Amino acid sequence: MKPGEKQAAARAMLANPLFHRLMDDLEMTAINGCITAKITDNESRAAFAAEARAIRNFRSKLKFLAAEDQATADGKGAPA
């Protein structure tokens, strides 16, 4: 996939309100799971926290791909 195609696809996803609602719902569910886990259940709390971080990282990566200067920001547009 060419960089321009990636950028267009990322922008299309970010322009879709359903995408934001789904991601908000997934993130909120993960955060609530982390908060409501039993005090002794460290594994579940860590898993929910990792899920919330993964969702936030995915959103950040998508915003980066949609950015205007994405090609130069990742070093691919630099001269040889």
Side-chain angles (χ1 to χ4, degrees):
M1 193 175 223
K2 295 179 183 177
E5 293 171 339
K6 285 183 185 180
Q7 187 177 42
R11 286 181 177 172
M13 288 178 71
L14 289 173
N16 189 338
L18 178 61
F19 171 78
H20 291 289
R21 291 191 65 158
L22 288 172
M23 295 306 286
D24 290 343
D25 186 46
L26 289 171
E27 185 177 357
M28 186 60 68
T29 301
I31 291 170
N32 285 339
C34 188
I35 291 171
T36 60
K38 291 184 181 180
I39 193 80
T40 57
D41 194 359
N42 294 329
E43 289 180 12
S44 291
R45 204 168 33 258
F48 283 123
E51 185 177 346
R53 279 193 303 274
I55 292 165
R56 289 177 180 175
N57 288 340
F58 176 72
R59 283 182 168 178
S60 294
K61 178 67 175 182
L62 200 58
K63 288 177 184 175
F64 172 76
L65 288 173
E68 289 288 334
D69 56 348
Q70 177 258 327
T72 57
D74 63 4
K76 293 181 181 175

